[in-house]
Amino acid sequence: MKEYENLFSDSIRNELQSFSEYRAAYREIWTLRNILSVLHWDSEITLPEEGRAERGNQIGLLSGLIHSKYAGENFYRLAREAADENERKNLPGQSERRIELQRLFQDLDRSRRLSQELVEEFSVTTSKAHAVWAKARKENRFTDFAPILSRIVELSKKQAESYGFETEPYDALLEGYEPGERAANLESLFHNLKNSLKPLVARGKRIRNPFPKEIPVSLQKKLGEALPALLGLSPKISRLDASEHPFSTSLGPKDKRITTRYDLKDPLSTIFSILHETGHSLYEAGISEIEGGPSPLHDSVSLGIHESQSRLWENQVGRSRSFWEMYYPILMDVLELKESELAFSDLFSYVNQSAPSLVRVEADQITYNLHIILRFEIERALINGQTTVSELPELWNSKMKELFGIEVSSDREGVLQDVHWSGGAFGYFPTYTLGNIYSAQLFDAFSKENPNFADQVLSKKDFSSLLDWLRKNVHWRGKYDSAETLIRKATGSDPDSSFLVRYLENKLNELESIDHGR
């Protein structure tokens, strides 16, 4: 569904004056949000160190302005008048416009509960916190990050109180990332998933890094810069940069930014970061193709669905045998390696190894979800007041021992490894595992409809059938459906973690057959 049929066509535009005024106001807010995204992107990529204080003030001021416009009485009145007009005038596209306004009011009513002062302080604090976190991580000193993190936690708790909740404060923050989801449900889901993963983790095997030498950043850049376009993300609407923590962001319909980071000893770290972030940007690019925008429907339905797109390209595609049989010659040529230095079987086994590790972004497919469960349990306890910031390192280390049997040697590889808490993104982490669940289910449905996909990848370097399927079933749906409804329509069944477990079991079987064949 590339367009919301008859939603707001030229033929009825003049008949819906109030709706036109509401859309014009929404476009202004949407544009300001894109400008704010530019400031955030620049803060992490090109901003000189001495400019951070002023940039924090700029971000705080603009965030407050956007909030006042979006949550203010004037926009609320325009939206209410648009809704009333839509119900009075029985014009084509009425039901689609009704859904659009329902989505708007779900978010608008939530935003109006936050004061402008709280929004501005949160924006200024988190903007400053990123640099503090990056420095503390580099110097391995959590105590340098703890004071500003404590303030972010306090502000996040104030947000939760402002939003309101029925059972626990964490639910109020989780709602902002995964609408309708609740911590108690995640606790049950993650508990069952953890039990299903335990026997798979026990079968895992650590594989030695097969790269014979350090790979210069210049060669890794050359390799990585061609990868997004190979998957279908046009370089005319995107760019790749380096950052402390890989991320992707949309600055407009034709402006998608992704970042990666470089590891001289392991270029796969760079490759999989790019695969992951390209998945996000392909989703954003697909949403931008929906006609008739911008509107509240021209957005992702949830972070879990967003993560499903990044994880699908990173794992179901990027760790498949067909991908690596296609990509191996490219990698060897660009990185100037010989087959005698790096055998395909060694590389493919390394790509798909499974063994407990310290760092989430470098974790394998099986143990990755345990990293998410650890973070979910910690941040839930933090927001609900069951632990404090000062206790985080010890709590983190004990849970790593419990879940992975690993001793954490430094805060850099422990509690300081993720950027999310410096941005106040409490409630974000669970969406990664939800994304893993959704991605396995979506790819299973796609594969049943497209049994020749692996041959297309191997023989033609062609990923278009997958991208087209995702465009139709996920990207072009925008925010029209709930996450659960979207998955049901795309796959024929409700969200189900058994698809993920089965996929991981098959992956282990594949690796064990390679090992036995040596």
Side-chain angles (χ1 to χ4, degrees):
M1 186 175 68
K2 192 170 180 178
E3 60 181 291
Y4 300 117
E5 205 170 334
N6 294 321
L7 180 62
F8 195 40
S9 62
D10 292 338
S11 62
I12 62 173
R13 190 178 301 274
N14 294 333
E15 297 289 330
L16 295 171
Q17 183 177 355
S18 294
F19 196 87
S20 296
E21 292 175 357
Y22 138 72
R23 274 291 194 89
Y26 186 88
R27 175 177 285 278
E28 179 182 356
I29 294 166
W30 175 80
T31 301
L32 288 171
R33 285 172 172 169
N34 285 336
I35 295 171
L36 181 60
S37 294
V38 174
L39 293 180
H40 279 295
W41 176 87
D42 180 67
S43 296
E44 298 198 35
I45 306 303
T46 62
L47 183 70
E49 186 63 33
E50 293 298 319
R52 292 200 175 278
E54 177 58 26
R55 177 55 52 84
N57 293 332
Q58 294 167 354
I59 287 174
L61 178 63
L62 185 55
S63 297
L65 174 63
I66 293 170
H67 181 74
S68 66
K69 284 182 171 292
Y70 184 64
E73 290 301 322
N74 183 61
F75 183 67
Y76 192 79
R77 175 184 59 79
L78 291 174
R80 286 258 55 106
E81 290 174 355
D84 293 341
E85 179 184 62
N86 187 56
E87 295 305 314
R88 289 197 316 271
K89 298 183 177 181
N90 186 21
L91 296 172
Q94 182 186 48
S95 60
E96 289 87 351
R97 289 189 295 276
R98 182 183 297 129
I99 291 173
E100 171 184 331
L101 290 160
Q102 287 173 351
R103 297 286 183 270
L104 172 69
F105 283 115
Q106 287 170 357
D107 185 67
L108 192 55
D109 290 341
R110 177 177 165 86
S111 295
R112 283 166 61 85
R113 296 173 187 175
L114 298 181
S115 69
Q116 184 169 341
E117 293 75 19
L118 179 56
V119 170
E120 290 185 8
E121 184 178 1
F122 186 83
S123 296
V124 170
T125 304
T126 53
S127 177
K128 293 177 180 177
H130 180 272
V132 177
W133 163 79
K135 187 172 184 291
R137 182 177 183 272
K138 182 178 181 180
E139 297 177 356
N140 193 34
R141 287 205 297 262
F142 178 77
T143 52
D144 291 353
F145 180 52
I148 198 166
L149 178 59
S150 295
R151 184 56 185 158
I152 292 172
V153 171
E154 291 175 11
L155 294 172
S156 297
K157 289 179 178 179
K158 287 184 179 180
Q159 286 181 335
E161 291 294 335
S162 298
Y163 290 138
F165 50 87
E166 294 181 359
T167 53
E168 57 183 275
Y170 187 74
D171 282 346
L173 303 181
L174 181 62
E175 177 72 19
Y177 299 100
E178 199 67 20
E181 192 58 83
R182 295 294 178 263
N185 180 61
L186 289 177
E187 181 181 18
S188 176
L189 175 67
F190 290 174
H191 175 76
N192 293 335
L193 182 60
K194 182 164 55 175
N195 287 338
S196 297
L197 293 176
K198 282 181 179 179
L200 302 185
V201 172
R203 288 170 57 188
K205 180 180 179 182
R206 183 176 298 282
I207 306 295
R208 177 185 60 84
N209 183 337
F211 286 91
K213 57 188 176 183
E214 291 189 350
I215 306 297
V217 170
S218 60
L219 296 183
Q220 293 192 46
K221 281 185 177 181
K222 183 179 179 182
L223 181 67
E225 286 172 351
L227 189 50
L230 181 65
L231 302 183
L233 183 65
S234 170
K236 294 181 179 180
I237 67 166
S238 64
R239 61 173 285 147
L240 173 67
D241 293 277
S243 65
E244 181 73 21
H245 193 290
F247 71 95
S248 65
T249 188
S250 176
L251 308 184
K254 302 292 185 181
D255 190 354
K256 312 302 176 187
R257 310 290 177 95
I258 60 178
T259 73
T260 189
R261 62 185 178 199
Y262 298 99
D263 183 339
L264 296 177
K265 296 180 179 180
D266 188 0
L268 292 187
S269 176
T270 299
I271 291 171
F272 283 102
S273 291
I274 293 174
L275 285 166
H276 182 98
E277 304 306 340
T278 298
H280 280 304
S281 285
L282 285 170
Y283 183 30
E284 290 287 348
I287 291 173
S288 295
E289 291 180 2
I290 303 172
E291 296 178 1
S295 83
L297 292 180
H298 293 71
D299 200 355
S300 63
V301 60
S302 77
L303 263 294
I305 295 297
H306 222 310
E307 290 300 333
S308 78
Q309 301 307 285
S310 60
R311 297 298 282 178
L312 188 152
W313 287 99
E314 177 187 358
N315 292 330
Q316 276 77 15
V317 174
R319 298 185 192 274
S320 68
R321 189 176 187 90
S322 60
F323 177 87
W324 280 100
E325 287 180 343
M326 176 276 298
Y327 199 61
Y328 176 70
I330 299 174
L331 178 141
M332 298 295 282
D333 179 57
V334 175
L335 299 188
E336 301 175 358
L337 295 171
K338 299 177 182 178
E339 189 172 351
S340 59
E341 295 178 297
L342 180 61
F344 175 82
S345 58
D346 292 339
L347 177 63
F348 186 66
S349 295
Y350 184 60
V351 162
N352 287 284
Q353 69 169 317
S354 175
S357 60
L358 285 167
V359 181
R360 174 185 64 87
V361 296
E362 297 172 4
D364 61 85
Q365 300 178 83
I366 297 174
T367 60
Y368 183 93
N369 295 293
L370 299 180
H371 284 273
I372 297 305
I373 292 170
L374 177 148
R375 287 153 175 78
F376 163 69
E377 292 175 350
I378 290 177
E379 69 177 22
R380 183 188 185 191
L382 191 60
I383 296 301
N384 290 346
Q386 296 160 342
T387 192
T388 64
V389 167
S390 63
E391 296 171 325
L392 287 183
E394 182 179 353
L395 180 58
W396 183 288
N397 296 350
S398 67
K399 284 187 175 292
M400 282 296 297
K401 183 68 174 177
E402 172 193 344
L403 290 172
F404 298 94
I406 295 178
E407 298 283 351
V408 180
S409 60
S410 69
D411 289 338
R412 181 189 295 112
E413 293 182 320
V415 71
L416 282 173
Q417 69 176 264
D418 293 301
V419 70
H420 300 62
W421 291 342
S422 72
F426 295 103
Y428 192 126
F429 278 122
T431 66
Y432 286 115
T433 286
L434 290 174
N436 285 335
I437 291 170
Y438 297 156
S439 67
Q441 191 165 344
L442 288 167
F443 194 74
D444 180 82
F446 161 76
S447 298
K448 289 175 180 175
E449 295 180 26
N450 298 268
N452 297 322
F453 175 66
D455 293 335
Q456 294 168 357
V457 170
L458 183 56
S459 62
K460 299 180 180 179
K461 301 182 178 64
D462 183 5
F463 298 88
S464 61
S465 60
L466 175 57
L467 184 57
D468 290 345
W469 190 90
L470 291 172
R471 289 281 195 256
K472 177 183 177 182
N473 291 283
V474 180
H475 303 179
W476 292 343
R477 299 300 300 177
K479 206 171 183 177
Y480 192 84
D481 301 307
S482 67
E484 183 177 350
T485 301
L486 186 150
I487 294 297
R488 187 185 307 117
K489 287 182 177 179
T491 70
S493 59
D494 290 333
D496 185 349
S497 63
S498 67
F499 290 92
L500 174 61
V501 175
R502 185 162 62 249
Y503 160 75
L504 294 173
E505 286 176 336
N506 291 337
K507 178 60 68 175
L508 277 174
N509 292 337
E510 179 183 33
L511 291 176
E512 288 169 352
S513 68
I514 293 174
D515 195 41
H516 292 154
R518 291 182 179 180

